[in-house]
Amino acid sequence: LSKNSNFKYYDELIKRLNYFFSKEDIGFTSPKSKNIKLQIYPIDVKYVQKPCQKRIALIGDAAHSIHPLAGQGFNLSIEDCFDVLKCLQIAKKIGKDFGDVSVLNEYTNLRKYRIKFITLVTSSLFFVFRKQNNYLNKLINCSLEKIDKTSFKHIFNILARGY
């Protein structure tokens, strides 16, 4: 929406929240000040080629951010935590310093293919669904309907699930 749009973000959000939580006896009201501005940030894909240096490792959105279309950013961050923990546990067993570059590079090697794959998939989905082409949209819908009728659809579940 443009900045000059008359769309009432807060009113719409409150209306939807109240509808969603109507059975829970939770109510939302509009903020006292109507001069609150909605912050909109561009969605950029970020990928740090070498997220590790001696004694430091970037994880989650600090190391890689993806388009939120498929909801995989949080999953990747949690997976990062598990894999960095796995590398630290191995380092502890063999008596290596946690901040040793070889330990942190092992974490990077564990993560790089999954992160690149999910980044590619989510970016591709974003660009495909963003196109306003009737033929492309019909092809996508037809393909997704056919996939949904096969056992192949479970592969997407496994890939999205991660661990």
Side-chain angles (χ1 to χ4, degrees):
L1 294 168
S2 71
K3 288 184 179 182
N4 297 329
S5 172
N6 288 330
F7 185 75
K8 306 287 186 209
Y9 292 100
Y10 287 100
D11 294 339
E12 182 63 25
L13 180 61
I14 289 166
K15 182 175 93 179
R16 290 180 188 191
L17 285 169
N18 283 331
Y19 175 77
F20 184 79
F21 288 106
S22 62
K23 294 178 184 174
E24 306 298 326
D25 196 29
I26 297 173
F28 295 85
T29 59
S30 185
K32 290 179 183 174
S33 170
K34 292 284 188 175
N35 293 331
I36 299 171
K37 293 191 179 193
L38 180 68
Q39 298 292 318
I40 298 173
Y41 298 95
I43 299 173
D44 295 325
V45 173
K46 293 179 184 88
Y47 177 76
V48 177
Q49 288 288 343
K50 293 188 74 166
C52 297
Q53 295 290 324
K54 186 174 186 179
R55 308 205 70 65
I56 189 166
L58 301 176
I59 65 172
D61 284 350
H64 47 79
S65 63
I66 60 174
H67 194 282
L69 175 73
Q72 291 298 306
F74 180 73
N75 291 357
L76 287 178
S77 297
I78 295 297
E79 291 172 21
D80 286 351
C81 293
F82 282 120
D83 281 344
V84 80
L85 180 60
K86 186 186 311 179
C87 292
L88 294 176
Q89 288 170 333
I90 292 169
K92 183 179 179 182
K93 278 185 186 177
I94 61 176
K96 273 192 172 179
D97 179 53
F98 289 161
D100 189 272
V101 174
S102 65
V103 173
L104 301 175
N105 283 338
E106 182 62 28
Y107 153 72
T108 301
N109 289 334
L110 278 174
R111 299 299 301 144
K112 67 182 172 186
Y113 295 112
R114 174 120 172 104
I115 291 166
K116 287 180 179 180
F117 174 74
I118 296 297
T119 301
L120 174 67
V121 168
T122 56
S123 297
S124 299
L125 285 173
F126 170 70
F127 288 112
V128 165
F129 285 113
R130 191 172 126 188
K131 295 290 181 194
Q132 298 295 318
N133 181 306
N134 286 334
Y135 296 113
L136 181 60
N137 291 343
K138 285 179 184 179
L139 177 65
I140 292 168
N141 287 336
C142 182
S143 300
L144 290 174
E145 286 172 7
K146 288 184 187 281
I147 288 172
D148 193 44
K149 294 176 184 174
T150 69
S151 59
F152 186 66
K153 69 182 175 186
H154 298 293
I155 291 173
F156 294 104
N157 189 5
I158 292 166
L159 293 173
R161 182 175 64 217
Y163 285 106

